Amino acid sequence: MGPRGLGLLALLAALSPRSAAASGPALWPLPLSVRTTPRALHVSRENFSVSHDPASSAGPSCALLQEAFRRYHGYIFNLDKSQHGPAKRNSAVELKQLLVSVVLDSECDLYPNVTSDESYSLVVKAPVAFLKANRVWGALRGLETFSQLIYQDSYGTFTINECNIIDSPRFPHRGILIDTARHFLPIKSILKTLDAMAFNKFNVLHWHIVDDQSFPYQSVTFPELSNKGSYSLSHVYTPSDVHTVIEYARLRGIRVIPEFDSPGHTQSWGKGQKNLLTPCYNGHKQSETFGPINPILNSTYSFLSQLFKEVSAVFPDQFIHLGGDEVEFKCWESNPEIRDFMKWKGFGGDYKKLESFYVQKVLDIASTVNKGAIVWQEVFDDHVKLQPGTIVQVWKFQSYSEEQAQVTAAGFPVILSAPWYLDWISYGQDWKGYYKVDPLDFSGSPEQKKLVMGGEACLWGEYVDATNLTPRLWPRASAIGERLWSHSNVKDLEDAYNRLTVHRCRMVSRGIAAEPLYTGYCNH
Amino acid sequence: MAASGLWLPLLLAAALAGRAAALWPWPQYIETSEAHYAIFPHDFQFRYHSSSAAQPGCSVLDEAFQRYRDLLFSSRAWYPPEPTRKLHAPVKNSLVVLVVTPGCNQLPSLESLENYTLTINDDHCFLLSETVWGALRGLETFSQLVWRSPEGMFLINKTEIEDFPRFSHRGLLLDTSRHYLPLTTIMDTLDAMAYNKFNVFHWHLVDDSSFPYDSYTFPELTRKGSYNPATHIYTAQDVKMVIEYARLRGIRVLAEFDTPGHTLSWGPGVPGLLTPCYSGSHPSGTFGPVNPILNSTYEFMSSFFLEVSSVFPDFYLHLGGDEVDFTCWKSNPDIQNFMKEKGFGSDFKQLESYYIQTLLNIVSAYDKGYVVWQEVFDNNVKVRPDTIIQVWREEMPVHYAKEMELITKAGFRALLSAPWYLNHITYGPDWSEIYMVEPLEFKGSPQQKALVIGGEACMWGEYVDSTNLAPRLWPRAGAVAERLWSNKLVTNLDSAFKRLTEFRCELLRRGVQAQPLNVGYCEQEFEQT
């Protein structure tokens, strides 16, 4: 490439601070390697196209890429609301085309999974730029990067600098958790979130679909669950809704992992499924209240087998999240039948053993339906016997790196969420705190570090619904997006601020109501 | 007459029959019963009473009738009742409005009366008010009284309401300098304000970060001081539109031009206005507050505020006066000399007072009253006795309640904002703290208490723009609205929670992006576009 390969950082530094979020390329998350030259190419809406390289294993029959090409053409030129007619001719050479080449079997019609190859390389030079990836998943990431390289110069001309980019993610699991039980989120909000996730190279939607408050998932096998357990009959995800979300996500290289949290957090399940929850006692009498799922009945496990059989067919991902957090023992303790069962099993007074008994059965059910399991950290902490490969999600803030060390020392893969609870809000620029976290910052061997699959930004729904989801999530989650994608040495806060400010304006221009980082403005 | 026909104690608000429990803010006196009447959208109309001082052609009410008609009926699917179904309730075909005092074309003021009486019984469906502003408040209440049966019928309970605000200044501050807010965002906010019976839009137009107010006397101010002089400005036409939009909702527009601090964005457009800061014996290239020692400064302020006084018709202007940083003044040798000459010693508060007094004299000459931030009082600036002091500091130099005491003791009118900085956010339901503030909870005589004219919820813009403004404001600002409107005794948190939860769903239905108070749902959720 250009002999005077001017670094991207130098280019950004040249932007005046007052021009805030005006123009210039601002890549987010920052790719592994970027070599940029000052040679600017002009790109025009009329002449520019994205096409398949003839050598690509994916051609026009690959709907996933066809749609992505159209989408990104829109994103690149939608900034152009104010101007019409041909842009001013300047001396710059024109970039006419981006050719996309998928090298190996494209995987165009598959679902992304945890081992999906998202690497790509991008060579931008006149008159044709090349995007190369092993699979469509890398091509999607590369298209996003390419779209971020194009900016409007001071005359409003769409411009891209010649450059050479090689990129791949640092962690394979980069997730966003949404909670549709505390508040129902309309499908439109979920799809918007998937759009924004793609702009930030997130690849997992962790769908915490049900909880104590409501059961919006419409089960074909057990329709009463949502009939009785949803907030209302219009606050329900039908099979077709779920399918829409999964396919929309797939087209953006995003996995959808459903969470059916049990045995706690299940109050809403009880309304539609008799005898599933434990009746709590007040002395010798039933108190009319219910606790966690009743772990001592065979009917419980036959219900769960059928439910998870359905869920495993509806959600194509290899993994299911089984929850297992915050099990409250009081109700179990109050129930005489459960106490008898404890005695009979020789559990003594240790209700963690009962919890383990339950969770192990659920894990067995999951593996019967050929799904890998993700669980919250309590399941590990309470010494449930886990099958190798079970992923443990660390969420408790206190000494989370110690927890990571222990889980990985025991040989289990880890997903980190503890420092990234975005529902916790405070005044000011909290994104910096999320950004500074390094998921590998715990004591452990290189083998242990390899067990860190990535992390998830969690936006729990107690105080969040469609009215405030988007500005609360973006660009705060973007900080985590870069932490999980970019190299560990990408941690300069000032540089991140400058790029993220532009990136948030880009999200706004693409229809995502991402809130401001600080005082300033966007040009739209 | 229903058996429950008593003036209900206010504290029983939550136990009220029917749907009246969803009213926000809670009226001063309400009597309601289970008996109800049906309303048919196609037949229903708002009508002027023949002896009303306001008649068709009164823009404020004509437009309000249209607005409330739309709010009540347009966004809801409406099916006529099945003819076979027997109608149990008698029908109300109109709300008759009687305004006593003429005046449809004037602006609301601090002294405007907003009281109204709403009577819905077998004989009447009647709204009586002294002024059109009171009629607006009554229409809002009326719209909150209408509810729907499960079959989709529009119904209103037999109700008698006598209502008036506890405080006459119920404001909301928006900051269009840290982030520019598009006009549509401002107008959406004015709509939501009217639903909450707010009556003052405190427009913090300019500040350090940008100068979006397009001055015709000094066009360079926006040309050089706005974020983008083509798109991020408020033209004279824009300002006019905001003022009229607000007027039609009974809302005053209180414009703030904060000086001598918070003025960095003024500098590029008015050379010589700001104080050059020194680094040792040389100018450092940076600038501080407005330069208080030059005649040119006051000449500029005279012309500028002459314009502002006519562009913003409200009697009051907000002149700021907060957070003046003395470092730059201290560094400047010309200012040091001036201090000596004036005998101020090294007390820069005296210099600040000198500036503000000169400015106040200028503005007084334009027949304007003014509001200032509390520092002006704290720093002993001599101000006119009718000055309004706005309290914004929570703890320093004294707790805000003490500050209210001191200000009113000195005989000035006070506005409370300190506990209502809505830009400060935390996890969880912070509305209850906002709600439980009692503005008159300070030591002082009844005369002192009478000097508290109200308060303002402030939404400063460092971290807020049109992407997150609405959910951050609503329904949290609603807590302030009820505190400023309703009786002092309306403090039951359970009742407030239930009503506010329902009211936020009503806001959603009206298109206001109000965030949830806690877990739960609304029949009609917010749909992203």
Side-chain angles (χ1 to χ4, degrees):
Chain A
M1 278 292 82
R4 293 166 295 120
L6 183 59
L8 176 75
L9 301 187
L11 266 180
L12 286 162
L15 289 172
S16 91
R18 189 159 152 82
S19 77
S23 62
L27 299 180
W28 193 278
L30 197 64
L32 194 56
S33 151
V34 183
R35 284 192 301 140
T36 307
T37 79
R39 191 170 142 87
L41 311 177
H42 153 207
V43 191
S44 83
R45 183 206 292 271
E46 298 76 23
N47 299 338
F48 179 78
S49 67
V50 184
S51 318
H52 300 277
D53 187 300
S56 175
S57 67
S61 65
C62 176
L64 181 146
L65 283 186
Q66 290 291 109
E67 286 207 21
F69 292 174
R70 204 180 48 211
R71 215 161 55 232
Y72 278 100
H73 196 275
Y75 292 146
I76 289 167
F77 297 108
N78 84 350
L79 304 167
D80 193 25
K81 276 169 191 149
S82 51
Q83 294 172 351
H84 294 286
K88 288 189 191 73
R89 289 285 151 197
N90 54 22
S91 55
V93 186
E94 187 167 351
L95 180 70
K96 299 259 191 185
Q97 204 175 23
L98 171 67
L99 283 182
V100 179
S101 177
V102 179
V103 178
L104 303 176
D105 174 41
S106 73
E107 299 186 352
C108 180
D109 299 315
L110 303 186
Y111 289 96
N113 64 52
V114 71
T115 60
S116 291
D117 187 342
E118 296 174 287
S119 64
Y120 67 92
S121 66
L122 192 55
V123 177
V124 178
K125 63 177 167 54
V128 177
F130 290 93
L131 167 60
K132 233 187 211 183
N134 285 333
R135 313 287 186 187
V136 287
W137 319 118
L140 288 173
R141 305 295 168 245
L143 281 168
E144 175 58 38
T145 302
F146 179 79
S147 74
Q148 296 187 1
L149 286 166
I150 294 176
Y151 60 98
Q152 282 178 288
D153 71 8
S154 42
Y155 300 104
T157 309
F158 290 103
T159 308
I160 187 167
N161 286 60
E162 285 196 345
C163 65
N164 205 335
I165 290 174
I166 299 167
D167 201 9
S168 60
R170 183 177 173 208
F171 295 103
H173 186 115
R174 305 180 307 282
I176 297 281
L177 177 148
I178 56 167
D179 170 2
T180 56
R182 272 60 176 255
H183 285 99
F184 180 83
L185 295 173
I187 289 292
K188 265 193 198 168
S189 294
I190 299 178
L191 302 187
K192 268 268 190 244
T193 302
L194 289 166
D195 282 334
M197 285 173 68
F199 304 155
N200 290 275
K201 296 190 170 71
F202 277 99
N203 66 355
V204 177
L205 178 71
H206 175 166
W207 192 352
H208 186 87
I209 195 166
V210 298
D211 207 296
D212 283 334
Q213 288 76 6
S214 74
F215 198 105
Y217 171 78
Q218 190 179 75
S219 161
V220 175
T221 323
F222 301 103
E224 289 302 294
L225 285 170
S226 61
N227 281 348
K228 300 258 170 71
S230 67
Y231 279 133
S232 88
L233 293 181
S234 57
H235 291 79
V236 161
Y237 301 109
T238 65
S240 142
D241 290 337
V242 171
H243 177 77
T244 301
V245 169
I246 292 170
E247 181 60 9
Y248 198 89
R250 187 188 80 82
L251 291 174
R252 283 152 186 80
I254 297 170
R255 301 161 56 202
V256 177
I257 298 179
E259 176 180 353
F260 286 84
D261 190 356
S262 73
H265 288 279
T266 48
Q267 289 294 308
S268 69
W269 304 40
K271 295 178 183 160
Q273 186 64 23
K274 289 275 167 318
N275 301 322
L276 179 66
L277 303 186
T278 309
C280 311
Y281 277 68
N282 215 335
H284 296 291
K285 281 191 174 169
Q286 282 197 21
S287 69
E288 304 283 307
T289 64
F290 294 89
I293 283 181
N294 192 334
I296 67 169
L297 303 178
N298 286 336
S299 59
T300 291
Y301 300 104
S302 68
F303 163 78
L304 290 172
S305 292
Q306 291 177 73
L307 179 68
F308 281 112
K309 192 175 164 204
E310 173 187 324
V311 165
S312 68
V314 169
F315 292 90
D317 200 81
Q318 276 173 299
F319 285 86
I320 297 184
H321 202 301
L322 298 173
D325 58 320
E326 300 183 307
V327 184
E328 172 67 65
F329 295 145
K330 266 191 203 132
C331 181
W332 281 351
E333 283 166 5
S334 78
N335 182 304
E337 286 166 38
I338 291 201
R339 288 200 301 264
D340 289 347
F341 185 84
M342 294 281 289
K343 246 179 255 164
W344 180 60
K345 282 279 174 184
F347 291 164
D350 186 358
Y351 283 84
K352 285 187 185 176
K353 288 188 173 152
L354 181 60
E355 179 190 6
S356 299
F357 170 83
Y358 170 85
V359 175
Q360 264 170 45
K361 290 206 162 228
V362 175
L363 288 169
D364 288 344
I365 289 170
S367 60
T368 322
V369 294
N370 289 316
K371 292 287 183 181
I374 308 177
V375 292
W376 295 109
Q377 71 177 75
E378 284 96 323
V379 174
F380 172 83
D381 297 345
D382 293 349
H383 308 294
V384 177
K385 201 167 159 316
L386 298 173
Q387 281 165 344
T390 302
I391 300 172
V392 177
Q393 187 162 8
V394 172
W395 71 275
K396 296 192 172 185
F397 188 75
Q398 201 171 20
S399 43
Y400 67 83
S401 39
E402 175 62 20
E403 178 81 7
Q404 282 179 292
Q406 286 175 12
V407 174
T408 53
F412 293 105
V414 155
I415 294 169
L416 181 64
S417 284
W420 293 327
Y421 266 37
L422 299 189
D423 51 321
W424 289 91
I425 52 168
S426 59
Y427 183 72
Q429 301 198 42
D430 54 3
W431 70 274
K432 290 180 179 171
Y434 309 135
Y435 191 75
K436 282 184 194 156
V437 170
D438 191 298
L440 300 189
D441 194 12
F442 63 88
S443 47
S445 65
E447 287 71 36
Q448 278 177 266
K449 306 282 166 112
K450 276 190 199 133
L451 286 168
V452 177
M453 314 288 301
E456 287 183 2
C458 298
L459 191 59
W460 294 101
E462 282 85 348
Y463 303 101
V464 177
D465 71 0
T467 62
N468 56 0
L469 174 88
T470 302
R472 199 159 288 198
L473 196 49
W474 310 107
R476 296 161 77 222
S478 304
I480 298 148
E482 174 150 301
R483 182 54 55 238
L484 295 172
W485 177 278
S486 303
H487 193 275
S488 62
N489 65 14
V490 178
K491 53 187 184 186
D492 181 324
L493 271 178
E494 205 180 306
D495 171 55
Y497 176 84
N498 290 332
R499 283 183 295 118
L500 190 51
T501 304
V502 182
H503 182 55
R504 101 95 185 173
C505 286
R506 180 165 48 224
M507 287 194 274
V508 171
S509 77
R510 292 180 183 184
I512 305 298
E515 69 180 14
L517 289 177
Y518 190 57
T519 303
Y521 70 107
C522 299
N523 265 337
H524 317 285
Chain B
M1 193 91 204
S4 65
L6 297 165
W7 287 107
L8 287 172
L10 293 154
L11 295 177
L12 289 181
L16 275 167
R19 296 283 299 226
L23 289 177
W24 193 274
W26 191 248
Q28 297 285 349
Y29 298 105
I30 176 167
E31 177 195 23
T32 184
S33 81
E34 293 283 1
H36 52 255
Y37 310 96
I39 290 174
F40 294 105
H42 296 304
D43 304 331
F44 182 82
Q45 50 181 327
F46 295 102
R47 288 199 296 117
Y48 293 94
H49 192 277
S50 56
S51 53
S52 170
Q55 289 296 329
C58 171
S59 58
V60 173
L61 288 184
D62 282 353
E63 294 203 20
F65 290 171
Q66 188 56 47
R67 230 165 37 236
Y68 280 102
R69 198 179 168 77
D70 292 346
L71 284 175
L72 280 168
F73 309 122
S74 81
S75 72
R76 309 194 230 204
W78 156 246
Y79 313 98
E82 298 162 36
T84 51
R85 176 172 249 121
K86 192 170 171 253
L87 198 58
H88 297 291
V91 178
K92 291 292 177 198
N93 277 329
S94 62
L95 176 71
V96 177
V97 178
L98 195 159
V99 176
V100 175
T101 311
C104 277
N105 303 317
Q106 81 284 48
L107 289 150
S109 71
L110 179 60
E111 292 76 27
S112 292
L113 291 173
E114 295 171 288
N115 57 325
Y116 67 92
T117 306
L118 196 52
T119 309
I120 292 129
N121 61 26
D122 291 352
D123 305 322
H124 298 288
C125 187
F126 182 56
L127 170 60
L128 170 68
S129 70
E130 186 65 37
T131 67
V132 289
W133 317 120
L136 288 176
R137 305 295 168 244
L139 284 168
E140 175 56 39
T141 303
F142 176 80
S143 76
Q144 295 185 14
L145 287 170
V146 175
W147 57 287
R148 293 190 83 178
S149 71
E151 297 80 37
M153 287 286 295
F154 290 92
L155 300 168
I156 189 164
N157 283 35
K158 181 170 178 174
T159 305
E160 180 85 36
I161 288 176
E162 236 183 278
D163 202 9
F164 52 89
R166 182 176 172 209
F167 295 103
S168 53
H169 185 119
R170 304 179 308 282
L172 178 67
L173 177 149
L174 292 185
D175 169 2
T176 57
S177 173
R178 273 58 175 256
H179 285 98
Y180 179 82
L181 296 173
L183 279 186
T184 51
T185 304
I186 294 177
M187 294 192 292
D188 288 348
T189 305
L190 289 167
D191 280 325
M193 285 173 68
Y195 306 153
N196 286 272
K197 297 191 170 72
F198 275 110
N199 68 353
V200 179
F201 168 37
H202 176 164
W203 193 352
H204 187 85
L205 269 153
V206 302
D207 206 294
D208 284 334
S209 313
S210 75
F211 198 104
Y213 170 74
D214 193 17
S215 159
Y216 53 79
T217 322
F218 302 99
E220 291 298 299
L221 281 166
T222 42
R223 205 165 292 157
K224 303 229 170 106
S226 69
Y227 281 134
N228 180 333
T231 53
H232 289 55
I233 61 169
Y234 302 105
T235 64
Q237 191 52 38
D238 295 338
V239 170
K240 232 185 212 158
M241 193 155 73
V242 168
I243 292 170
E244 178 62 7
Y245 198 90
R247 185 185 80 86
L248 290 172
R249 285 152 186 79
I251 297 170
R252 299 162 52 205
V253 177
L254 174 64
E256 176 179 355
F257 288 89
D258 190 358
T259 67
H262 289 279
T263 48
L264 282 180
S265 70
W266 303 46
V270 188
L273 180 67
L274 301 185
T275 309
C277 314
Y278 276 66
S279 183
S281 56
H282 295 285
S284 67
T286 62
F287 293 90
V290 164
N291 193 333
I293 68 169
L294 303 178
N295 286 336
S296 58
T297 292
Y298 300 104
E299 284 159 14
F300 165 81
M301 292 296 170
S302 292
S303 321
F304 182 73
F305 278 101
L306 179 64
E307 171 186 329
V308 165
S309 302
S310 72
V311 169
F312 293 93
D314 197 85
F315 177 67
Y316 291 93
L317 280 177
H318 201 301
L319 298 176
D322 58 320
E323 297 185 306
V324 184
D325 186 341
F326 296 145
T327 329
C328 181
W329 280 351
K330 281 179 189 164
S331 78
N332 182 304
D334 295 332
I335 291 198
Q336 288 157 13
N337 289 335
F338 185 83
M339 295 278 289
K340 247 176 254 166
E341 198 184 298
K342 287 277 173 185
F344 292 163
S346 57
D347 184 3
F348 284 85
K349 284 187 185 174
Q350 290 191 44
L351 182 60
E352 181 188 3
S353 298
Y354 171 83
Y355 168 82
I356 291 184
Q357 265 170 42
T358 317
L359 179 69
L360 295 183
N361 289 335
I362 290 170
V363 174
S364 300
Y366 300 140
D367 285 327
K368 286 280 183 183
Y370 39 77
V371 187
V372 291
W373 296 108
Q374 71 175 77
E375 283 94 327
V376 173
F377 171 80
D378 296 344
N379 294 346
N380 302 316
V381 179
K382 199 168 166 309
V383 294
R384 252 179 17 200
D386 62 350
T387 302
I388 297 169
I389 316 279
Q390 188 164 10
V391 175
W392 70 277
R393 297 183 149 243
E394 278 203 277
E395 295 294 340
M396 294 297 286
V398 293
H399 185 265
Y400 69 81
K402 183 75 186 167
E403 182 81 9
M404 297 289 281
E405 179 192 331
L406 295 173
I407 289 169
T408 52
K409 202 173 190 171
F412 295 109
R413 287 174 298 170
L415 272 177
L416 183 62
S417 284
W420 292 327
Y421 266 38
L422 301 187
N423 52 312
H424 287 145
I425 52 170
T426 55
Y427 181 76
D430 61 353
W431 70 272
S432 51
E433 267 174 66
I434 296 168
Y435 185 75
M436 290 312 283
V437 170
E438 169 45 57
L440 300 189
E441 200 170 70
F442 61 86
K443 270 187 227 151
S445 64
Q447 288 82 348
Q448 274 177 266
K449 307 282 167 110
L451 287 170
V452 178
I453 60 169
E456 289 185 359
C458 298
M459 184 57 81
W460 295 101
E462 283 86 348
Y463 302 100
V464 177
D465 69 4
S466 58
T467 62
N468 57 355
L469 175 74
R472 202 161 283 200
L473 259 187
W474 312 109
R476 294 163 76 225
V480 180
E482 176 152 300
R483 181 54 53 238
L484 293 173
W485 178 279
S486 304
N487 190 287
K488 183 179 181 169
L489 300 175
V490 179
T491 53
N492 184 306
L493 273 178
D494 289 340
S495 153
F497 175 74
K498 283 184 198 127
R499 286 183 295 113
L500 192 53
T501 298
E502 197 154 331
F503 180 58
R504 100 99 187 176
C505 287
E506 175 62 15
L507 289 176
L508 275 193
R509 202 185 61 74
R510 296 183 182 194
V512 180
Q513 203 174 331
Q515 70 180 10
L517 291 177
N518 209 323
V519 296
Y521 71 104
C522 298
E523 283 303 333
Q524 194 171 327
E525 299 287 358
F526 178 74
E527 278 280 347
Q528 213 140 14
T529 44

